[in-house]
Amino acid sequence: MSLSDIISACFGGGSNASSERQAPYLSADDAAQMPLEVFVQRSLESAPSALGQSNAFCDIFRKHINSGANAAYVAQVVQDSLTRLASNDTDRAAAQWACQILALAAQSSAGGYHPPQVQDQNHSYAQAVGSDSAGWEMPQRQQHHKPPQPQAKSDVYVRSYFFPSEESFNALVQFLDSAQSTLDICVFNITDNGIANAIIAAKRRGVDVRIITDDEQLKCKGSDVERLQEDHGIPFKTDNDPSKFMHSKFAVIDQRAVWCGSYNWTVAGRRYNNESVICTSDPETAHAFSSEFNNLWNQFS
């Protein structure tokens, strides 16, 4: 059974199941216009819509698969999406394991699954496949999974920006404005209202926004993070550890592109400081930063 058959079966069955989470509506016409990764994410977020239009959604997915989409990469996108949507650690673990099963099934149908070889007799099979002594999967940051199918070269970009610069600032705003389904932000602080407004605009157009920031900076004068939650319902988490900084500075849109560098999302960073940034749609890089964000999100309170 191929991954296409498995996911088609998932879309086609269990329509009587109910969910407490309020899922947004997604039409088949809109779904048909989405690239594969966005389609998978949005259809999972809007699962009742997918079930209610099962034949159309299955046809859309089959077209992606028949166009050469990599099944293992699809399984990883499904796993990341289900982990994000899960409401507790048990559901997250179940989602991760279910997607690993799907990936193994896809590998098997494509020519057989070959277990990893244990070269050192002092290491167990569980260590070889990425599990600790208690049997839990190791954090993804230690495994460094690579999405197996890169985009075509013409679709991948790597751009550099430097501050202080209004041109570079406008590039950041355009980057945030291009988010279609998810926007994950991990920064030391946010005090620039221009950036805050772009985040609010993303939330208003239906983008799922999450923010991670430093616990000490959260209380600094001018910080916008708590206001974004209180006034606009944008969730945030902090490292909750005054002995160290949450000093990462990156953002991931739709799990497909990354903005990262030294630039603090502050007025000083925009107008006075010497800062440098890279923005890229390289799939491997986007996947790594998306996994890192999810690791931190699950770790922090």
Side-chain angles (χ1 to χ4, degrees):
M1 178 180 289
S2 68
L3 183 60
S4 175
D5 294 332
I6 294 171
I7 294 183
S8 294
C10 291
F11 278 149
S15 58
N16 293 328
S18 60
S19 173
E20 294 181 359
R21 182 176 63 86
Q22 295 298 313
Y25 177 76
L26 177 63
S27 71
D29 289 340
D30 288 340
Q33 305 303 314
M34 296 174 178
L36 173 59
E37 183 171 329
V38 176
F39 166 75
V40 172
Q41 294 168 356
R42 291 288 301 279
S43 63
L44 288 171
E45 293 167 358
S46 307
S49 300
L51 290 170
Q53 306 166 84
S54 175
N55 291 337
F57 273 70
C58 289
D59 286 343
I60 293 168
F61 182 72
R62 288 193 187 96
K63 288 179 181 178
H64 283 297
I65 292 295
N66 293 336
S67 298
N70 186 283
Y73 182 51
V74 172
Q76 184 61 58
V77 175
V78 172
Q79 175 176 314
D80 291 343
S81 298
L82 291 180
T83 301
R84 175 170 52 82
L85 293 170
S87 60
N88 55 62
D89 290 341
T90 299
D91 288 346
R92 279 186 282 273
Q96 290 175 359
W97 176 233
C99 290
Q100 289 182 43
I101 291 174
L102 291 177
L104 294 177
Q107 290 174 1
S108 178
S109 65
Y113 169 64
H114 302 285
Q117 299 299 312
V118 181
Q119 304 295 337
D120 187 342
Q121 293 182 353
N122 294 324
H123 289 80
S124 67
Y125 179 80
Q127 290 173 315
V129 300
S131 299
D132 61 17
S133 59
W136 291 100
E137 183 185 8
M138 289 181 180
Q140 289 185 7
R141 70 165 71 193
Q142 296 178 16
Q143 295 191 37
H144 301 294
H145 295 301
K146 296 180 180 180
Q149 179 170 318
Q151 300 175 16
K153 288 185 176 179
S154 60
D155 295 333
V156 176
Y157 62 81
V158 179
R159 300 165 184 159
S160 56
Y161 299 98
F162 302 94
F163 293 82
S165 165
E166 284 302 299
E167 182 178 353
S168 295
F169 173 78
N170 290 335
L172 170 58
V173 172
Q174 292 171 5
F175 176 81
L176 299 176
D177 287 346
S178 68
Q180 300 176 11
S181 60
T182 62
L183 172 56
D184 291 331
I185 300 168
C186 183
V187 290
F188 190 50
N189 198 359
I190 302 175
T191 65
D192 191 320
N193 289 340
I195 296 176
N197 290 337
I199 296 171
I200 294 168
K203 175 69 174 179
R204 287 176 174 170
R205 65 176 180 271
V207 175
D208 184 6
V209 183
R210 298 182 294 175
I211 299 174
I212 293 174
T213 191
D214 182 75
D215 57 342
E216 296 294 302
Q217 291 296 310
L218 184 68
K219 303 300 181 182
C220 289
K221 182 178 180 180
S223 175
D224 291 313
V225 176
E226 287 187 315
R227 176 175 67 87
L228 291 174
Q229 182 188 62
E230 293 170 358
D231 295 348
H232 303 282
I234 297 174
F236 73 86
K237 290 188 177 183
T238 72
D239 56 329
N240 197 28
D241 187 348
S243 67
K244 61 183 180 181
F245 291 130
M246 200 306 297
H247 211 241
S248 287
K249 306 175 189 73
F250 68 86
V252 186
I253 58 169
D254 305 328
Q255 300 183 32
R256 62 177 173 81
V258 180
W259 173 283
C260 63
S262 68
Y263 174 65
N264 282 307
W265 292 21
T266 63
V267 175
R270 171 184 176 182
R271 297 179 179 173
Y272 307 112
N273 296 348
N274 296 116
E275 310 281 3
S276 54
V277 169
I278 290 290
C279 181
T280 180
S281 63
D282 173 66
E284 183 177 332
T285 303
H287 173 78
F289 273 91
S290 183
S291 294
E292 172 65 0
F293 185 94
N294 286 327
N295 287 334
L296 295 177
W297 187 262
N298 293 333
Q299 173 185 341
F300 294 157
S301 59

